Amino acid sequence: MAKKIPVTGHYYNAPIDLKRFRERLKPYKLHSVDPLVCELVNDRFVVITKFGVVMFWNTTDDLERSIREELTKFLTDFSVDERVSDRIDIELGATERIGFERVQLSKLSPDKIKLISLAFAQSIALNKFELDITSILGKIEGYINELKTSGKLRIKPARILKSVGFALSVKYHVINNLVLFDKPDETWEDERLSRLYRDIREYFDLTDRHEGITVKLDFITDNVETLLDLLNTQRMVWLDVTIVLLIIAEVIIFLMQIFVFNGH
């Protein structure tokens, strides 16, 4: 029976300065600086990405607890989004195969751990963004239903602008932090590692999920722009109505003055 290596991943709600945090990992053997790949003891690793995903490879509870305590001391916001915490089991066997619900390696190596961890971390981050996007879409649906039933929007522009800020923030994190389009240097130097990275990205369906997020973000942006235009139109209509009412009021006052003057 193939030996299984458990790998757990957790999303911290804050970016991690890898260079500074590396100072806290000096007692451990360092294999990579971005992401941080540290060997805690033989064949037990922690991998840390700059965008907040931390993964534990085959660690004991005590080892994991010690790293988590260091993160708690280091990060201003050390909360973890438990909704997207995940786990995969890496099988060790005679051959290397990555397929449906199965990742098998012939042996562990720091390079393989780094590449698999990068894809796993990106998958966890995408899970986080997918959940947040679903929440925003729910709010936008509420605005649209309100417009459909009442013909009016009773929301402040600031609330809609927050949706714009969210969409821009997600785009920034996906492009700048998840580096979904950049192949790690190791894959250019070793054909087997290149194939491993390609297969593990397919295993987590990263390309299609990224495209799906992009489509949803564009949908959010387009709808938010439409809602803002409608709000501006409503404001202009009310402004026009207000101006007309003021003119009518001035006319009434003028007529009353004439009436009073003639009455005397």
Side-chain angles (χ1 to χ4, degrees):
M1 184 176 179
K3 179 182 178 181
K4 290 188 177 182
I5 304 295
V7 184
T8 59
H10 310 276
Y11 187 97
Y12 280 79
N13 291 306
I16 300 174
D17 186 329
L18 299 183
K19 185 176 181 180
R20 288 180 54 223
F21 191 71
R22 194 169 71 209
E23 296 298 314
R24 294 175 176 262
L25 300 176
K26 280 186 175 180
Y28 308 115
K29 185 176 181 180
L30 181 67
H31 292 282
S32 170
V33 295
D34 188 8
L36 282 180
V37 179
C38 289
E39 190 168 1
L40 305 177
V41 293
N42 291 338
D43 292 332
R44 301 184 190 276
F45 296 81
V46 62
V47 182
I48 303 172
T49 69
K50 62 184 178 182
F51 51 88
V53 177
V54 178
M55 291 149 288
F56 298 96
W57 284 67
N58 199 34
T59 56
T60 62
D61 291 341
D62 288 341
L63 284 172
E64 182 172 335
R65 190 179 303 112
S66 67
I67 298 299
R68 282 179 173 270
E69 287 174 355
E70 290 298 329
L71 286 165
T72 299
K73 297 173 187 175
F74 180 77
L75 295 174
T76 303
D77 180 3
F78 51 84
S79 62
V80 175
D81 193 335
E82 297 292 353
R83 298 175 304 166
V84 296
S85 293
D86 203 356
R87 169 177 171 155
I88 58 172
D89 291 318
I90 308 296
E91 297 181 10
L92 295 182
T95 60
E96 294 197 354
R97 289 184 294 174
I98 298 178
F100 183 70
E101 296 187 350
R102 186 176 187 183
V103 179
Q104 180 175 293
L105 301 177
S106 57
K107 65 177 181 178
L108 285 182
S109 72
D111 285 340
K112 293 176 183 178
I113 288 172
K114 175 182 176 179
L115 296 180
I116 292 174
S117 295
L118 272 175
F120 188 31
Q122 290 171 7
S123 176
I124 290 172
L126 286 173
N127 284 341
K128 161 75 172 175
F129 293 140
E130 285 163 354
L131 288 174
D132 290 344
I133 286 173
T134 298
S135 175
I136 291 294
L137 287 173
K139 293 179 181 178
I140 290 177
E141 183 181 8
Y143 302 152
I144 293 172
N145 286 336
E146 179 183 349
L147 182 63
K148 178 181 176 181
T149 55
S150 68
K152 297 179 181 179
L153 285 173
R154 299 184 180 88
I155 53 177
K156 295 180 179 179
R159 290 174 61 186
I160 295 181
L161 288 174
K162 285 182 179 180
S163 299
V164 176
F166 167 80
L168 292 175
S169 175
V170 171
K171 284 185 177 180
Y172 170 81
H173 284 294
V174 169
I175 294 172
N176 189 61
N177 292 330
L178 298 191
V179 290
L180 287 167
F181 302 110
D182 296 338
K183 291 180 65 176
D185 293 340
E186 294 86 348
T187 62
W188 296 103
E189 302 165 1
D190 188 316
E191 183 179 348
R192 290 174 300 175
L193 292 178
S194 179
R195 185 166 55 250
L196 171 68
Y197 188 60
R198 180 199 64 205
D199 291 346
I200 196 65
R201 283 178 55 82
E202 289 180 1
Y203 175 83
F204 287 113
D205 199 20
L206 295 181
T207 300
D208 287 345
R209 289 167 63 195
H210 172 258
E211 291 175 354
I213 279 184
T214 300
V215 169
K216 290 178 181 179
L217 287 174
D218 289 342
F219 176 80
I220 289 173
T221 303
D222 291 343
N223 278 272
V224 164
E225 289 177 353
T226 301
L227 291 172
L228 284 173
D229 288 342
L230 288 171
L231 278 176
N232 287 331
T233 300
Q234 284 186 183
R235 291 175 64 186
M236 291 301 297
V237 169
W238 278 109
L239 181 60
D240 290 344
V241 170
T242 302
I243 292 173
V244 170
L245 290 175
L246 287 173
I247 293 173
I248 292 173
E250 288 182 1
V251 171
I252 291 173
I253 293 171
F254 176 72
L255 292 174
M256 289 179 64
Q257 289 174 340
I258 293 175
F259 177 77
V260 171
F261 178 78
N262 290 336
H264 287 285

